[in-house]
Structure formats: structure tokens, C-alpha cells
Amino acid sequence: MRGAYAVFSKDLYSELRTRYALNALLMFVVVTLSIILFSTAGEAVSPALSAGILWVVIFFAAMSGLSRSFVSEEERGTTMTLQLWVKPSAVLIGKLAFNTLLLYLLNGLIVSAYLITMQSFKLQTPSIFWLTIVLGSFGLASASTFIAAIISKANSKGTLYPVLSFPVLLPLLMSVIDATRLSVDGAAFYEAIDDFKIMISYAVVVTTAAVILFDFVWRD
Amino acid sequence: MKTWLKILLGLWIAGVLYFGFAMPIGDIPGLGEKARIIFFHVPMSWLAVLAFLMSMIYGILYLKDRDLKYDIKSSTAAELGFLFTILATITGSIWAKFNWGSFWNWDPRETSIFVLLLIYGAYFSLRSALEVEEKRAVLSAVYSIVAFVTVPFFVFIMPRIMFSLHPGGGGSAAPILNASGKMYMDMNMRFVFYASLIGFTVFYFWLFQIRTRIGILTYLESLETEQ
């Protein structure tokens, strides 16, 4: 556990020092939202559609930000050092904690910008929406951290990342989009229970598989 | 495979093709004669899933024993699984055109087979992006396991939550995929169905054996040229 905390704080400090990911992601969100706003200007976007668009933005923002956790270790050649100092599971848990934090920050940013700029996106049942963001972000961080570990060893990392992540993430994306649609349609809380069950079981299954399999990915 | 077995298999599948169209089948409400797609669509889907499962099991065996032959078998199963998934998609899509009125409509079943195609596609792009054989074997095995643990969400959970028009969804009449887990087919239909299932499964294993042999020989040859 101490190893995991050390990896987490190392990533946090190096991020706070350079602010590479945060700055780039901030601009990414601004650019993506501008494209959406330009292309939908003057159009009546239905609430269901705006729920889908929100998760498209979140998915691609995660895809451009989260791969760095492992790719940067490979690029800077620090993988070996980490392998020497901490247990594989500690590396995974530390990286997962950092990516989860990063994704929560990022999603907070995306959601608040989205709520302000998208006219048709009005929350009718906020409880469903916020729980979806909390559970969905964790599942997203968990699957994409593990896929990042896989692609960091491959060529053409940037293109491969969304390609490998999408099929694995799809059950999660379908349930979060469905729950978000329910929250803007004004459904009652209990109607989204099935979606929450999927999100929770998805997070549990993927995180467990990731912890078990990470040994194989990490060891050379 | 023995020559007589190959000839028998050829005759067997020819027989399945003939009887699949010619054999009178009992009436199934809502499906009628269109239910004949069962003879071709269901074996393809079954083999797609079987190949995917075999690919993952050989992947696990590779992680355990580190024998590159398992990796060759794993990728061979994935290649064949991809082929059968495409065939299942095409046969299903043709049927959908005549039963639902459009080739593709994002029904939960259609979504799940599309995801299977995506997983195979991602698996092959991952393999082509890794040059070192051992690394490729390990990472593709790990990816196929992670992808496989998410498959139950599509196959079992999604169609229950979302309304599906596929036979068996929403309580409609279904010869195979229904809630009670029984098969509703008359004797004729059952006979052709099992014959088709057996024929195509043997065909799959024959293909698997040939492709594995080619893969292993190519690998051994590459070892010799290196030395």
C-alpha cells in the first residue's frame, strides 16, 4: 500500500510541476466543446442527443489524457526503475488512483462547461446524473488505465489506444449514456437502478481482472 | 484429417445445404419459412463464440507455460472466429432485412455482434503493432482475457435490460434463445439443425488444424533462417 501511495504522489507531483496533462486537456475540452457548439448553433438539439454528445467528449478526453500514465514511463525510460522499487500491483493501484483523480477533475470541468454552454442539456434528476458521473468515471479510469499499460509496449500508441479501449468500454458507455438520458428526461431515481448495477459490476469486474493480469503486462 | 473424412464432410455439408432449404419445417409463429436461417446463422454464431473462447483459453495456457505454439493456436482461433463472426453478421443481417425490414437497426443483438467484430479488429491491430514475438503473445493474450470478461455484459445483461427484437427478446416466440431454455423445433428441423451444427463444427476444427500447422511450420522455418 505504501508503494502504491508513493507511485501516486510521484505522478501527482510531476504533474503539478509540469502541468502538461492538465493544460493540454483543458485546451482539448475547450476545442471539442467549441466544435460542438459551432456545429449545433441554431439547431434544436434533443436532450437525448446532448446526453450522448457529453459522453463522446468525455470518452475522447479520457483517451487523450489517460494513456500518458504508462506511456510517459516508457518514453522517459523509467519503467525499469519502477519495476525494481515497487511491486506490480502497487504500480497499477497508484496509477489507477492518479488517473481516477485526473478523470474526476477533467469530468468536473467538462460537465460544468457543458451545463453552461449547452442550452438543451437541463438536468431534471440531478441525483441520477451525479451518481452516473461518479461511478462512470471510475469504471472509465479503471479500464483505460489497464489498456494504457498494454499499449505503452506497442508501436503507434496514440492511435491504438481508443481502438483497444472502445470495445472494452462499450458496456459501460451504453449504461452511462442511458442513465444520463434518463436524468435529462426527468425519470425517477429507481428507473436508473439497472444502469447503476451495470456500472458497479463493470467497475468491479474490470478492476479485478486488471489487478490479476497486470503482472503479465508489467514484467518483461 | 483423413481423406475419407474430408469427402464425408463435403457430402455432409452439401446435404445440410440441400435439406436446409428442402426439408419441410413446422410452423413457428412470427418466423415461418424464414426460420430456415437457423441452419446457417446459429452454427456461425456458435463457432464465433467457440473460437473466441478457444482463443482466450490458449492465451491463458500461453501465460502459464510460455510456449509459443499456444500463441499460434490462440491467434489462429481468433482469425477463424473473425471469419465466422462476419458470416454470422451477414446471415443475421439478411434475415433482419426480411423479418424486420432493414439490414441493420442497432438491435441489442446486432450491437453485441458488432462489438465482437470490434474486439477482434482491436486484437489484430494490437498484434500487428508488437514486433517481439513473446511480447506480442503476452499482451494479446491479456487483451483477449480483458475483452472476454466484458462480453457477458453484452450477451446476458444488455438484451435483458434493453428491448430486443431478436427471437427470444421481449418474450417473442423463439426456437432457441428463449427464457425457458428449451428448444422449440419439430423433429425435421431439429435433425437438420444438429446436422448443420456438427458439420460446421467439424469444418471449423479442420480449418483450425490446417492453419495451426501452417503457423507452426512458418514459425519453425523462421527459427532456422535466424540460426
Side-chain angles (χ1 to χ4, degrees):
Chain A
M1 225 45 230
R2 268 184 55 224
Y5 179 72
V7 173
F8 170 73
S9 51
K10 170 194 85 75
D11 275 4
L12 189 63
Y13 279 124
S14 85
E15 180 52 46
L16 288 179
R17 230 168 256 170
T18 58
R19 295 208 185 81
Y20 173 94
L22 275 179
N23 284 338
L25 284 175
L26 185 70
M27 283 317 292
F28 183 90
V29 173
V30 172
V31 168
T32 321
L33 277 180
S34 324
I35 295 174
I36 292 167
L37 290 173
F38 286 145
S39 56
T40 60
E43 300 278 337
V45 183
S46 71
L49 185 59
S50 65
I53 294 174
L54 172 68
W55 283 97
V56 173
V57 177
I58 293 179
F59 173 75
F60 280 106
M63 287 302 102
S64 59
L66 299 188
S67 67
R68 239 182 78 76
S69 53
F70 284 100
V71 172
S72 68
E73 302 284 354
E74 291 287 331
E75 278 170 359
R76 288 183 298 198
T78 43
T79 315
M80 295 272 190
T81 327
L82 266 184
Q83 280 172 348
L84 280 177
W85 282 95
V86 274
K87 278 192 296 186
S89 57
V91 176
L92 180 73
I93 294 168
K95 296 274 181 195
L96 176 58
F98 176 74
N99 273 350
T100 311
L101 180 71
L102 187 66
L103 201 58
Y104 276 132
L105 278 177
L106 186 66
N107 284 354
L109 200 78
I110 294 174
V111 167
S112 35
Y114 202 74
L115 279 171
I116 295 167
T117 52
M118 282 297 264
Q119 301 296 323
S120 60
F121 194 73
K122 293 270 183 297
L123 295 181
Q124 309 287 338
T125 326
S127 54
I128 296 181
F129 180 72
W130 295 114
L131 192 57
T132 305
I133 293 288
V134 170
L135 293 175
S137 304
F138 180 72
L140 187 59
S142 169
S144 35
T145 306
F146 186 66
I147 302 288
I150 294 181
I151 61 120
S152 68
K153 313 277 181 194
N155 305 328
S156 68
K157 303 173 174 67
T159 356
L160 209 52
Y161 193 39
V163 170
L164 289 194
S165 304
F166 184 68
V168 175
L169 280 172
L170 203 59
L172 180 76
L173 288 176
M174 282 165 82
S175 58
V176 290
I177 290 173
D178 190 52
T180 312
R181 191 182 49 77
L182 288 176
S183 77
V184 286
D185 278 351
F189 186 78
Y190 70 88
E191 287 177 63
I193 291 288
D194 279 339
D195 287 322
F196 292 134
K197 279 185 195 157
I198 295 183
M199 287 174 219
I200 294 170
S201 49
Y202 178 87
V204 171
V205 165
V206 171
T207 314
T208 318
V211 171
I212 294 170
L213 292 171
F214 186 69
D215 255 11
F216 295 112
V217 180
W218 189 238
R219 266 192 319 216
D220 274 312
Chain B
M1 207 155 94
K2 298 269 193 306
T3 316
W4 64 267
L5 203 57
K6 288 178 197 165
I7 295 169
L8 181 69
L9 182 65
L11 292 174
W12 184 284
I13 290 192
V16 166
L17 287 178
Y18 174 73
F19 284 109
F21 287 104
M23 183 82 98
I25 55 169
D27 187 51
I28 296 166
L31 291 174
E33 292 292 317
K34 281 172 280 188
R36 288 180 192 280
I37 197 77
I38 278 179
F39 303 135
F40 310 107
H41 176 63
V42 177
M44 297 305 133
S45 323
W46 145 248
L47 288 175
V49 175
L50 178 75
F52 197 17
L53 186 70
M54 275 176 67
S55 170
M56 187 200 60
I57 290 172
Y58 280 119
I60 295 174
L61 286 175
Y62 177 80
L63 291 180
K64 233 175 117 246
D65 293 349
R66 306 279 164 162
D67 183 351
L68 269 175
K69 275 174 193 154
Y70 287 131
D71 179 56
I72 293 168
K73 286 183 178 174
S74 176
S75 71
T76 306
E79 278 166 19
L80 292 174
F82 191 53
L83 175 72
F84 283 108
T85 313
I86 292 173
L87 291 175
T89 315
I90 294 171
T91 49
S93 186
I94 293 171
W95 176 82
K97 175 69 183 169
F98 292 101
N99 221 55
W100 300 341
S102 78
F103 283 113
W104 199 263
N105 200 35
W106 294 112
D107 186 79
R109 290 277 171 211
E110 290 177 330
T111 311
S112 55
I113 202 147
F114 177 69
V115 174
L116 208 54
L117 283 174
L118 281 184
I119 292 175
Y120 280 125
Y123 176 87
F124 294 126
S125 25
L126 176 66
R127 287 188 75 87
S128 62
L130 291 157
E131 273 151 24
V132 186
E133 274 155 354
E134 284 77 15
K135 202 83 228 169
R136 180 169 64 209
V138 169
L139 292 181
S140 53
V142 167
Y143 184 71
S144 72
I145 297 169
V146 172
F148 196 82
V149 298
T150 62
V151 165
F153 285 97
F154 294 107
V155 181
F156 301 111
I157 301 173
M158 282 296 173
R160 287 221 170 128
I161 290 174
M162 290 169 188
F163 182 76
S164 171
L165 287 169
H166 192 280
S172 59
I176 299 171
L177 286 170
N178 53 42
S180 57
K182 287 190 195 119
M183 285 222 290
Y184 296 104
M185 290 193 232
D186 69 358
M187 280 319 287
N188 279 353
M189 202 174 167
R190 216 171 266 221
F191 176 72
V192 181
F193 175 68
Y194 283 130
S196 168
L197 213 53
I198 293 167
F200 281 109
T201 310
V202 174
F203 183 55
Y204 163 80
F205 278 104
W206 181 30
L207 286 179
F208 180 75
Q209 192 201 5
I210 295 175
R211 298 280 308 177
T212 313
R213 217 163 71 201
I214 296 173
I216 291 175
L217 287 175
T218 322
Y219 169 64
L220 292 177
E221 201 186 356
S222 73
L223 281 189
E224 274 169 24
T225 44
E226 269 172 33
Q227 278 161 5

Coordinates of all heavy atoms in Angstrom, one line a residue, chain A residues 51-81:
Chain A
A51 N -27.1 14.2 -24.3 CA -26.5 13.2 -23.3 C -25.5 12.4 -24.0 O -24.4 12.1 -23.4 CB -27.6 12.3 -22.7
G52 N -25.8 12.0 -25.2 CA -24.8 11.2 -25.9 C -23.5 11.9 -26.2 O -22.4 11.5 -26.0
I53 N -23.7 13.2 -26.7 CA -22.5 14.0 -27.1 C -21.6 14.2 -25.9 O -20.4 14.2 -26.0 CB -23.0 15.4 -27.6 CG1 -23.8 15.2 -28.9 CG2 -21.8 16.3 -27.9 CD1 -24.4 16.4 -29.5
L54 N -22.2 14.4 -24.7 CA -21.4 14.6 -23.5 C -20.5 13.5 -23.3 O -19.3 13.7 -23.0 CB -22.3 14.8 -22.2 CG -21.6 14.8 -20.9 CD1 -20.8 16.1 -20.8 CD2 -22.6 14.7 -19.7
W55 N -20.9 12.3 -23.5 CA -20.1 11.1 -23.2 C -19.1 10.9 -24.3 O -18.0 10.3 -24.1 CB -20.9 9.9 -22.9 CG -21.4 9.9 -21.5 CD1 -22.6 10.3 -21.1 CD2 -20.6 9.7 -20.3 NE1 -22.7 10.3 -19.7 CE2 -21.5 9.9 -19.2 CE3 -19.3 9.2 -20.1 CZ2 -21.0 9.8 -17.9 CZ3 -18.9 9.0 -18.8 CH2 -19.8 9.3 -17.7
V56 N -19.4 11.4 -25.6 CA -18.4 11.3 -26.6 C -17.2 12.2 -26.2 O -16.1 11.8 -26.3 CB -19.0 11.8 -28.0 CG1 -17.9 11.9 -29.0 CG2 -20.1 10.8 -28.4
V57 N -17.5 13.4 -25.7 CA -16.5 14.3 -25.3 C -15.7 13.7 -24.2 O -14.4 13.7 -24.2 CB -17.1 15.7 -24.8 CG1 -16.0 16.6 -24.3 CG2 -17.9 16.4 -25.9
I58 N -16.4 13.1 -23.2 CA -15.6 12.5 -22.0 C -14.8 11.4 -22.5 O -13.6 11.2 -22.1 CB -16.6 12.1 -20.9 CG1 -17.3 13.3 -20.3 CG2 -15.9 11.2 -19.9 CD1 -18.3 12.9 -19.2
F59 N -15.3 10.5 -23.4 CA -14.5 9.4 -23.9 C -13.2 9.8 -24.5 O -12.1 9.4 -24.2 CB -15.4 8.5 -24.8 CG -14.6 7.4 -25.5 CD1 -14.3 6.3 -24.8 CD2 -14.2 7.5 -26.9 CE1 -13.6 5.3 -25.4 CE2 -13.5 6.5 -27.5 CZ -13.2 5.4 -26.8
F60 N -13.3 10.8 -25.5 CA -12.1 11.2 -26.2 C -11.2 12.0 -25.3 O -10.0 11.9 -25.5 CB -12.5 11.9 -27.5 CG -12.9 11.0 -28.6 CD1 -14.2 10.8 -29.0 CD2 -11.9 10.2 -29.2 CE1 -14.6 9.9 -29.9 CE2 -12.3 9.2 -30.1 CZ -13.6 9.1 -30.5
A61 N -11.7 12.7 -24.4 CA -10.8 13.4 -23.5 C -10.0 12.4 -22.6 O -8.8 12.6 -22.4 CB -11.6 14.4 -22.5
A62 N -10.7 11.4 -22.2 CA -10.0 10.3 -21.4 C -9.0 9.7 -22.3 O -7.9 9.4 -21.8 CB -11.0 9.3 -20.9
M63 N -9.3 9.4 -23.5 CA -8.4 8.7 -24.4 C -7.2 9.6 -24.7 O -6.1 9.0 -25.0 CB -9.1 8.4 -25.8 CG -10.1 7.3 -25.7 SD -9.4 5.7 -25.1 CE -10.0 5.7 -23.4
S64 N -7.3 10.9 -24.7 CA -6.1 11.7 -25.0 C -5.3 12.0 -23.7 O -4.2 12.3 -23.8 CB -6.5 13.0 -25.6 OG -7.4 13.7 -24.8
G65 N -5.9 11.8 -22.5 CA -5.2 12.2 -21.3 C -4.7 11.0 -20.5 O -3.6 11.1 -19.9
L66 N -5.4 9.8 -20.5 CA -5.0 8.8 -19.6 C -3.9 7.9 -20.0 O -3.3 7.2 -19.2 CB -6.2 8.0 -19.2 CG -7.4 8.7 -18.6 CD1 -8.5 7.7 -18.1 CD2 -6.9 9.5 -17.4
S67 N -3.6 7.9 -21.3 CA -2.6 6.9 -21.8 C -1.2 7.4 -21.3 O -0.3 6.6 -21.1 CB -2.5 6.8 -23.3 OG -2.1 8.1 -23.8
R68 N -1.1 8.7 -20.9 CA 0.2 9.2 -20.5 C 0.8 8.5 -19.3 O 2.0 8.4 -19.2 CB 0.0 10.7 -20.2 CG 0.9 11.6 -21.0 CD 0.6 13.0 -20.5 NE 1.3 13.3 -19.3 CZ 2.6 13.6 -19.3 NH1 3.4 13.5 -20.3 NH2 3.2 13.8 -18.1
S69 N -0.1 8.0 -18.4 CA 0.4 7.4 -17.2 C 1.5 6.4 -17.4 O 2.5 6.3 -16.7 CB -0.7 6.8 -16.4 OG -1.4 6.0 -17.2
F70 N 1.3 5.5 -18.4 CA 2.3 4.4 -18.7 C 3.2 4.8 -19.8 O 4.4 4.5 -19.8 CB 1.6 3.1 -18.9 CG 1.1 2.5 -17.7 CD1 -0.2 2.5 -17.3 CD2 2.0 1.8 -16.9 CE1 -0.7 1.9 -16.2 CE2 1.5 1.2 -15.7 CZ 0.2 1.3 -15.4
V71 N 2.6 5.5 -20.8 CA 3.4 5.9 -22.0 C 4.6 6.7 -21.6 O 5.8 6.5 -22.0 CB 2.6 6.6 -23.1 CG1 3.5 7.1 -24.2 CG2 1.6 5.6 -23.6
S72 N 4.4 7.7 -20.6 CA 5.5 8.5 -20.2 C 6.6 7.8 -19.5 O 7.8 8.1 -19.7 CB 5.0 9.7 -19.3 OG 4.6 9.1 -18.1
E73 N 6.2 6.7 -18.8 CA 7.3 5.9 -18.1 C 8.1 5.2 -19.2 O 9.4 5.1 -19.0 CB 6.6 4.8 -17.2 CG 5.7 5.3 -16.2 CD 6.5 5.9 -15.0 OE1 7.7 5.8 -14.9 OE2 5.8 6.5 -14.1
E74 N 7.5 4.7 -20.3 CA 8.2 4.1 -21.3 C 9.1 5.1 -22.0 O 10.3 4.8 -22.3 CB 7.3 3.4 -22.3 CG 6.6 2.2 -21.8 CD 7.4 1.0 -21.7 OE1 8.4 0.8 -22.4 OE2 7.1 0.1 -20.8
E75 N 8.6 6.3 -22.3 CA 9.3 7.3 -23.1 C 10.5 7.8 -22.3 O 11.6 8.0 -22.9 CB 8.4 8.4 -23.4 CG 7.6 8.1 -24.7 CD 6.5 9.2 -24.9 OE1 6.4 10.1 -24.1 OE2 5.8 9.0 -25.9
R76 N 10.3 8.0 -21.0 CA 11.4 8.5 -20.2 C 12.4 7.4 -19.7 O 13.4 7.7 -19.1 CB 10.9 9.2 -18.9 CG 10.3 10.6 -19.3 CD 9.8 11.3 -18.1 NE 8.8 10.5 -17.3 CZ 8.0 11.1 -16.4 NH1 8.1 12.3 -16.1 NH2 7.1 10.3 -15.8
G77 N 12.0 6.2 -20.1 CA 12.9 5.0 -19.7 C 12.9 4.8 -18.2 O 13.9 4.3 -17.7
T78 N 11.8 5.1 -17.5 CA 11.8 4.9 -16.1 C 11.1 3.6 -15.6 O 10.9 3.4 -14.4 CB 11.2 6.1 -15.4 OG1 10.0 6.5 -16.1 CG2 12.1 7.3 -15.3
T79 N 10.7 2.8 -16.6 CA 9.9 1.6 -16.3 C 10.7 0.7 -15.4 O 10.2 0.2 -14.4 CB 9.5 0.9 -17.6 OG1 9.0 1.8 -18.5 CG2 8.5 -0.2 -17.4
M80 N 12.0 0.5 -15.8 CA 12.9 -0.4 -15.1 C 13.0 0.0 -13.6 O 12.9 -0.9 -12.7 CB 14.3 -0.4 -15.7 CG 14.3 -1.0 -17.1 SD 14.5 -2.8 -17.0 CE 14.8 -3.1 -18.7
T81 N 13.2 1.3 -13.4 CA 13.3 1.8 -12.0 C 12.1 1.4 -11.2 O 12.2 0.9 -10.1 CB 13.5 3.3 -12.0 OG1 14.2 3.7 -13.2 CG2 14.3 3.8 -10.8

